[in-house]
Amino acid sequence: MSEVLFQSRGKVLTVDTMNPAVKKVEYAVRGPIVIRAVELEKELKQGVKKPFTEVIKANIGDAHALGQRPITFLRQVIALCAYPDLLNDNKFPEDAKERARRILQACGGGSIGAYSASQGIECVRQDVAQYIERRDGGIPSDPNNIYLSTGASDAIVTLLKLLVSGEGRSRTGVLIPIPQYPLYSAALSELGAVQVNYYLDEENCWALDVQELRRAVTAARQHCQPKVLCIINPGNPTGQVQSRKCIEDVIRFAAEEKLFLMADEVYQDNIYVQGCQFHSFKKVLYEMGPEYCNTVELASFHSTSKCYMGECGFRGGYMEVINLDPQVKLQLTKLVSVRLCPPVPGQVLLDVITNPPREGEPSYEQFIKEKTAVLNNLAEKAQLTEEIFNTVPGIKCNPVQGAMYSFPRIEIPDKAMKEAQAKGQSPDMFYCMKLLEEMGICLVPGSGFGQREGTHHFRMTILPPTEKLRILLNKLKEFHERFTREYS
Amino acid sequence: MSEVLFQSRGKVLTVDTMNPAVKKVEYAVRGPIVIRAVELEKELKQGVKKPFTEVIKANIGDAHALGQRPITFLRQVIALCAYPDLLNDNKFPEDAKERARRILQACGGGSIGAYSASQGIECVRQDVAQYIERRDGGIPSDPNNIYLSTGASDAIVTLLKLLVSGEGRSRTGVLIPIPQYPLYSAALSELGAVQVNYYLDEENCWALDVQELRRAVTAARQHCQPKVLCIINPGNPTGQVQSRKCIEDVIRFAAEEKLFLMADEVYQDNIYVQGCQFHSFKKVLYEMGPEYCNTVELASFHSTSKCYMGECGFRGGYMEVINLDPQVKLQLTKLVSVRLCPPVPGQVLLDVITNPPREGEPSYEQFIKEKTAVLNNLAEKAQLTEEIFNTVPGIKCNPVQGAMYSFPRIEIPDKAMKEAQAKGQSPDMFYCMKLLEEMGICLVPGSGFGQREGTHHFRMTILPPTEKLRILLNKLKEFHERFTREYS
């Protein structure tokens, strides 16, 4: 009898009983296209014949996976910290040893296996603060305002978690750009916050227009309480770099409308186009004077995963908070303490990034050479991408001014639109799936980031090695032309 | 005018406007006592005179911080993976190199700086599954059921996040032991789930009694929907090791009452008392036959932070899910993909822990020697702690059968209770604060873990080196006697 009882017994946890907020979460960067790409890789390994010999994953900004070499100095310091016996090895340069010794001294028991303070190791936060001061031309940064994190995503979600409250019409609204990096929409779904879209101006190189912000906030006030404004600069997936004027306008707008500013600045070193320059929100805020820099609440985010480092696997990052209410800061510190501490190897990496070899130190030249080579190569690939895409009728690509992605607009013929609809797919998902099956190229459909109704895009990272990127772009060209013919 | 406007302008984010669920979160392990301990350390450094010369932090299971040395083999493999040039160095043993090569091959671009699969590197999950099979006498483990995580805390919170739903009387109830590890209560506060307490039996060496579970569930059904049963074995903060019989009873109870089982088994190697043995919930579940092992939903958690490794800073861990609904598994995989991947250095560490040197390999003897030394030393300290505490009138300490903590009961005189009340402190917080100020010893009050009304405890880790632990215990004895005299 009991066997029957147990066989008929349903699961406790099903899609019907689970947390409905989690069910709503979407994250296209690792969605169905990527799952299919991994399957295809396995089929290829098993000898299944395909119209391609390898799958190129250009769906994600994963520099090392696409062949970028780690920066030697960073890895030397990590190895020394992980296995301090190497401090006696004369193959390691003295400046790497000096960094490692300093970090180990700050670790409990001299081991990176000890928990750190929940906010992050104090000397690392000091180095981060000094890095920010150098970056921002001497504007002061307080180590007590720095929170180290498990990549930037972790810090962004943590801060949103603090900010979201209320029910119904007083529920917190969070303004995010469209197109956006889908961490934002995913986190807002999970937290049950109201996502308020503001559209970037594709015709104007994906610029942010304050009029559009105003439209979005005004509309949102009808049904929620907009409290937070998220900015991604340089843009992901859109690759634009914001002008100083634009940042000033945004800050003024945030002050007027009482919005908490969240500035995602993880691509701050990835600037490729002459005339473009990275301006941190913090710096502009301070330069606008006390009226702004003493009042506007700002959190800015950085990461070890992007720029010239590309150390995604270490999950290192930080946020700097400005004008955060002291009581809220205590709450933030309490909240991060529940997870004990961010991964210490990621903290070590962040330390070395913010305290790199100085002129005159033994590793300086090699470090600068490696760093410059990565950034120059990225600039070259940014240009190559724009150039080749814009030779294809039906593809229109804005300049990749910064970050690591192009987000070209694609024309999809009516016949293809209908076929997609019949399959229950968005037109750009249909396009990308076909591209994957026919060419072995894995991209993310624009619908995963958001786009204006009736337009279609995909995101492609520019990270593959130059020659491979050229092949990739030409294959894409070939595919798009064939696709257009097939469905015209 | 505008200056006045901005000066009078309040903050967007205040304790009044912030997420009220976050405000409710409490986490005593890093609470006010620890904040004061850090202040005292700073004062000592500045030369302020205190009745002690150093602060001993016995508040947290942080092995390396308290002097335990990392296991050589683990760190060698990490260093090799971080800086693969070392693969050419003949100072590293071949078995360490072989592990490193295998892991690097599984990483994108051969770098631990690449993102891994969100569920974790496939070969690491295979090694984890084989480790579980060996541990459980051959009961099969599927790598697809393994999810790597950022320490065990991350996996526990992720799974709870999936499980919590409903409003009012249909809100999810989660059964947790009292005393508990406060990650649970903190996560439940944050998620707005209903915490359902079941009390461990202090008179019976903190054993879990199914009658008490039944009482708790029955009472809870009046106001919520109990869906989850959390078990910590070996116990934190209570140090008990559950008998096989008890685990069977719990599984039967979970089946009858339709509860999802969460087994926190991060101290599985930390067993000290003759006659006690670790039984995994998974193994017992399978041995109870198909009626149970095909139906009861179970997640079990493990970590790199405890056992003989003590590698807390790496934030490595995994969970194994059994009988999880396939649709829910897809939701889980989607949810973890938003954070991209667990830290890869922690995954490497977990790999080596689950695939340690084998007999005949060059590192085997040293590895076993180091591992055994740590565990033997802990067993010695577990006994020492119980012995010394039980010589003190007014302190009563259960045997520390496993894990890393003692949780003795302390008698607090009425006069002290009144003084605590006057200060707005719980009596054990008052006790621990005084202990810190007078002796420089940092412990966590029992109220941070939960305890039966009218009883008082503290948690102390047994991790300090034996001689230091002996001094610590004797200082505690001296303090308790003085405290009792002072308030009698």
Side-chain angles (χ1 to χ4, degrees):
Chain A
M1 187 225 91
S2 76
E3 202 161 327
V4 176
L5 178 73
F6 283 103
Q7 276 177 1
S8 67
R9 170 180 176 268
K11 303 265 182 204
V12 176
L13 181 59
T14 68
V15 280
D16 297 323
T17 64
M18 69 178 277
N19 185 340
V22 171
K23 224 164 14 184
K24 279 189 209 135
V25 167
E26 285 180 21
Y27 188 70
V29 176
R30 294 207 153 181
I33 292 262
V34 186
I35 293 168
R36 180 64 188 140
V38 172
E39 281 171 13
L40 283 171
E41 277 181 331
K42 284 197 178 161
E43 291 178 25
L44 279 175
K45 254 193 201 164
Q46 291 157 2
V48 181
K49 252 191 114 75
K50 296 279 164 196
F52 47 85
T53 54
E54 69 165 328
V55 176
I56 305 177
K57 286 194 208 145
N59 59 298
I60 189 167
D62 191 357
H64 293 193
L66 290 162
Q68 184 180 309
R69 307 287 312 147
I71 303 290
T72 305
F73 188 74
L74 303 183
R75 295 305 192 87
Q76 285 175 331
V77 178
I78 299 274
L80 288 161
C81 287
Y83 191 53
D85 280 16
L86 293 170
L87 287 166
N88 304 317
D89 190 322
N90 54 22
K91 267 179 295 190
F92 283 79
E94 198 45 49
D95 46 357
K97 289 184 185 174
E98 181 258 322
R99 300 296 187 287
R101 278 193 211 100
R102 180 163 169 272
I103 296 165
L104 288 172
Q105 251 171 17
C107 291
S111 167
I112 59 169
Y115 290 119
S116 78
S118 299
Q119 195 172 348
I121 299 173
E122 189 164 357
C123 82
V124 179
R125 289 188 285 114
Q126 283 162 358
D127 287 346
V128 169
Q130 283 175 22
Y131 159 85
I132 293 171
E133 288 185 2
R134 287 196 306 276
R135 183 196 70 188
D136 290 344
I139 290 165
S141 171
D142 181 349
N144 293 320
N145 288 340
I146 308 290
Y147 286 77
L148 307 191
S149 61
T150 309
S153 304
D154 167 49
I156 291 168
V157 173
T158 299
L159 196 62
L160 284 172
K161 201 181 278 171
L162 277 176
L163 280 158
V164 170
S165 66
E167 291 302 328
R169 281 190 58 174
S170 44
R171 191 71 181 154
T172 297
V174 179
L175 285 121
I176 63 169
I178 296 294
Q180 53 122 9
Y181 175 59
L183 167 71
Y184 290 93
S185 50
L188 298 181
S189 294
E190 206 185 303
L191 294 167
V194 180
Q195 174 179 327
V196 180
N197 296 336
Y198 66 88
Y199 289 85
L200 301 175
D201 185 359
E202 183 166 14
E203 305 309 314
N204 192 12
C205 219
W206 297 115
L208 193 167
D209 175 12
V210 172
Q211 289 312 313
E212 166 60 12
L213 280 183
R214 202 174 304 279
R215 179 206 62 75
V217 167
T218 308
R221 290 209 199 283
Q222 305 300 312
H223 60 95
C224 70
Q225 196 173 355
K227 265 185 8 188
V228 189
L229 168 54
C230 300
I231 308 284
I232 313 174
N233 178 48
N236 174 8
T238 38
Q240 83 284 17
V241 176
Q242 290 184 343
S243 70
R244 207 199 130 88
K245 160 90 174 53
C246 169
I247 295 172
E248 277 183 27
D249 290 348
V250 169
I251 291 173
R252 216 169 281 120
F253 177 78
E256 282 166 23
E257 301 284 342
K258 291 199 181 192
L259 298 169
F260 191 110
L261 269 175
M262 289 176 60
D264 178 341
E265 302 180 323
V266 300
Y267 297 98
Q268 55 190 264
D269 289 338
N270 297 108
I271 311 286
Y272 310 123
V273 169
Q274 281 261 325
C276 285
Q277 199 189 329
F278 172 72
H279 304 277
S280 78
F281 267 75
K282 161 96 180 285
K283 181 167 192 249
V284 178
L285 181 67
Y286 273 71
E287 289 174 351
M288 286 169 74
E291 184 183 323
Y292 294 96
C293 76
N294 293 339
T295 60
V296 175
E297 293 150 84
L298 166 69
S300 68
F301 304 89
H302 197 15
S303 159
T304 63
S305 303
K306 310 298 170 185
C307 299
Y308 64 94
M309 304 80 79
E311 296 279 12
C312 316
F314 280 82
R315 316 307 298 121
Y318 74 80
M319 69 173 154
E320 183 183 26
V321 292
I322 306 294
N323 290 321
L324 197 64
D325 180 280
Q327 292 300 313
V328 173
K329 220 163 130 182
L330 292 177
Q331 293 285 334
L332 173 58
T333 305
K334 177 193 74 179
L335 183 62
V336 297
S337 78
V338 178
R339 300 293 188 91
L340 295 161
C341 71
V344 176
Q347 297 188 45
V348 174
L349 200 58
L350 189 63
D351 185 71
V352 190
I353 290 163
T354 53
N355 181 20
R358 284 179 293 264
E359 220 173 324
E361 287 187 325
S363 304
Y364 180 73
E365 275 174 41
Q366 189 186 352
F367 174 77
I368 293 295
K369 205 176 126 195
E370 291 179 1
K371 173 178 170 175
T372 313
V374 170
L375 292 174
N376 287 349
N377 180 241
L378 282 170
E380 184 185 282
K381 293 190 285 196
Q383 205 186 337
L384 183 71
T385 302
E386 182 200 346
E387 274 173 17
I388 298 192
F389 274 144
N390 284 331
T391 65
V392 189
I395 297 188
K396 204 178 140 210
C397 182
N398 270 320
V400 182
Q401 298 174 331
M404 297 180 169
Y405 316 98
S406 64
F407 195 69
R409 182 154 167 185
I410 47 173
E411 276 170 34
I412 296 187
D414 283 351
K415 218 169 120 191
M417 304 271 276
K418 277 178 197 139
E419 196 165 319
Q421 203 181 9
K423 285 194 158 188
Q425 284 177 336
S426 68
D428 48 12
M429 172 64 91
F430 174 73
Y431 180 96
C432 287
M433 216 35 130
K434 215 169 151 66
L435 174 70
L436 176 63
E437 297 288 349
E438 292 181 14
M439 303 300 245
I441 296 171
C442 177
L443 305 179
V444 191
S447 47
F449 304 90
Q451 53 200 353
R452 279 206 184 267
E453 185 77 29
T455 68
H456 304 105
H457 303 76
F458 57 74
R459 187 184 82 163
M460 186 196 82
T461 178
I462 61 167
L463 284 169
T466 313
E467 279 323 299
K468 203 166 185 171
L469 179 66
R470 194 186 298 276
I471 294 168
L472 175 69
L473 289 164
N474 283 315
K475 277 183 150 193
L476 259 162
K477 181 176 178 161
E478 182 195 326
F479 172 81
H480 189 83
E481 288 167 352
R482 194 169 64 220
F483 182 88
T484 306
R485 272 197 310 278
E486 194 181 331
Y487 289 100
S488 287
Chain B
M1 187 224 93
S2 74
E3 203 161 328
V4 176
L5 177 74
F6 283 101
Q7 275 177 2
S8 67
R9 170 180 176 269
K11 303 264 182 205
V12 176
L13 181 59
T14 67
V15 280
D16 297 323
T17 65
M18 70 177 277
N19 186 340
V22 171
K23 224 163 15 183
K24 279 189 210 137
V25 167
E26 285 180 19
Y27 188 70
V29 176
R30 294 205 153 183
I33 291 262
V34 186
I35 293 168
R36 180 63 189 140
V38 173
E39 282 171 12
L40 283 172
E41 277 180 331
K42 284 196 179 163
E43 290 177 25
L44 278 175
K45 253 192 202 164
Q46 290 157 2
V48 181
K49 252 193 113 74
K50 298 279 164 194
F52 46 87
T53 54
E54 69 166 326
V55 176
I56 304 176
K57 286 194 209 147
N59 60 299
I60 189 167
D62 191 357
H64 293 193
L66 289 162
Q68 185 180 308
R69 307 287 311 146
I71 303 290
T72 306
F73 188 74
L74 303 182
R75 294 306 192 87
Q76 286 175 330
V77 178
I78 299 274
L80 288 162
C81 287
Y83 191 52
D85 280 17
L86 293 170
L87 288 165
N88 304 316
D89 189 322
N90 53 22
K91 267 178 293 187
F92 283 80
E94 198 45 49
D95 47 357
K97 289 183 184 174
E98 181 258 322
R99 301 293 187 289
R101 279 193 209 100
R102 179 162 168 273
I103 296 164
L104 288 173
Q105 252 172 15
C107 291
S111 167
I112 60 170
Y115 290 120
S116 77
S118 300
Q119 197 173 348
I121 299 173
E122 190 165 357
C123 81
V124 179
R125 288 188 285 115
Q126 283 162 359
D127 288 346
V128 169
Q130 284 176 22
Y131 159 85
I132 294 172
E133 288 186 2
R134 286 195 306 276
R135 183 196 70 188
D136 290 344
I139 289 165
S141 171
D142 181 350
N144 294 318
N145 288 339
I146 309 291
Y147 287 77
L148 308 190
S149 60
T150 309
S153 303
D154 167 50
I156 291 168
V157 173
T158 299
L159 196 63
L160 284 172
K161 201 182 278 173
L162 277 175
L163 280 158
V164 170
S165 65
E167 289 303 328
R169 282 190 57 174
S170 44
R171 192 70 182 156
T172 297
V174 179
L175 285 121
I176 64 169
I178 297 294
Q180 52 120 10
Y181 175 60
L183 167 71
Y184 291 93
S185 50
L188 299 180
S189 294
E190 205 186 303
L191 294 166
V194 180
Q195 174 178 327
V196 180
N197 296 338
Y198 66 89
Y199 289 85
L200 301 174
D201 184 0
E202 182 166 14
E203 304 310 312
N204 192 11
C205 218
W206 297 114
L208 192 166
D209 175 11
V210 171
Q211 290 312 314
E212 165 61 10
L213 280 183
R214 203 173 304 280
R215 179 206 61 75
V217 167
T218 308
R221 290 209 200 284
Q222 306 300 313
H223 60 96
C224 70
Q225 195 173 355
K227 266 187 4 189
V228 189
L229 170 52
C230 299
I231 308 283
I232 312 173
N233 178 48
N236 174 7
T238 39
Q240 83 285 16
V241 177
Q242 290 184 343
S243 70
R244 208 200 129 89
K245 160 88 174 55
C246 169
I247 294 172
E248 277 184 27
D249 290 348
V250 169
I251 290 173
R252 216 170 280 122
F253 177 78
E256 282 165 23
E257 301 284 342
K258 291 198 180 192
L259 298 169
F260 191 110
L261 269 174
M262 289 177 60
D264 179 340
E265 302 179 324
V266 300
Y267 298 99
Q268 54 189 263
D269 290 338
N270 297 106
I271 312 286
Y272 310 124
V273 169
Q274 281 261 326
C276 285
Q277 199 189 329
F278 172 72
H279 304 278
S280 78
F281 267 76
K282 162 97 179 285
K283 181 167 191 249
V284 178
L285 180 68
Y286 272 71
E287 289 175 350
M288 286 169 74
E291 184 182 324
Y292 294 96
C293 77
N294 294 338
T295 59
V296 175
E297 292 151 84
L298 166 69
S300 67
F301 304 89
H302 197 15
S303 159
T304 62
S305 303
K306 310 297 168 184
C307 298
Y308 63 93
M309 303 82 77
E311 295 279 12
C312 316
F314 280 82
R315 314 308 298 120
Y318 74 80
M319 69 173 154
E320 183 183 26
V321 292
I322 307 293
N323 291 320
L324 196 65
D325 180 280
Q327 293 300 313
V328 172
K329 220 164 131 182
L330 292 177
Q331 293 285 334
L332 173 58
T333 305
K334 177 193 74 179
L335 183 61
V336 295
S337 78
V338 178
R339 299 292 186 94
L340 295 161
C341 70
V344 176
Q347 297 189 45
V348 173
L349 200 59
L350 189 63
D351 186 71
V352 190
I353 290 162
T354 54
N355 181 21
R358 284 178 294 264
E359 220 174 325
E361 287 187 325
S363 305
Y364 180 74
E365 275 173 41
Q366 188 185 353
F367 174 78
I368 293 294
K369 205 176 126 195
E370 291 178 2
K371 173 178 169 174
T372 313
V374 171
L375 292 174
N376 287 349
N377 179 241
L378 283 169
E380 185 185 282
K381 292 188 286 196
Q383 206 186 338
L384 183 71
T385 302
E386 181 199 346
E387 275 172 17
I388 298 190
F389 275 143
N390 284 331
T391 65
V392 188
I395 297 188
K396 205 178 140 209
C397 183
N398 271 319
V400 183
Q401 298 174 331
M404 296 178 169
Y405 316 98
S406 65
F407 195 71
R409 183 156 166 183
I410 47 174
E411 275 169 36
I412 297 187
D414 283 350
K415 217 170 120 191
M417 304 271 276
K418 275 177 198 140
E419 195 167 321
Q421 202 180 9
K423 284 193 156 190
Q425 284 178 335
S426 68
D428 48 12
M429 173 64 91
F430 174 75
Y431 180 97
C432 287
M433 215 39 130
K434 215 168 151 69
L435 174 70
L436 176 63
E437 297 287 349
E438 292 182 12
M439 303 300 243
I441 296 172
C442 177
L443 305 179
V444 191
S447 48
F449 305 89
Q451 52 200 354
R452 280 206 184 268
E453 185 76 30
T455 69
H456 303 105
H457 302 78
F458 57 73
R459 187 184 82 162
M460 185 196 84
T461 179
I462 61 167
L463 284 169
T466 313
E467 279 322 298
K468 202 164 186 173
L469 179 66
R470 195 186 297 277
I471 294 167
L472 175 70
L473 289 164
N474 284 315
K475 278 183 148 193
L476 260 161
K477 183 176 175 161
E478 181 195 328
F479 172 81
H480 189 83
E481 288 166 354
R482 192 170 65 221
F483 182 88
T484 307
R485 273 197 310 276
E486 193 180 333
Y487 290 99
S488 285

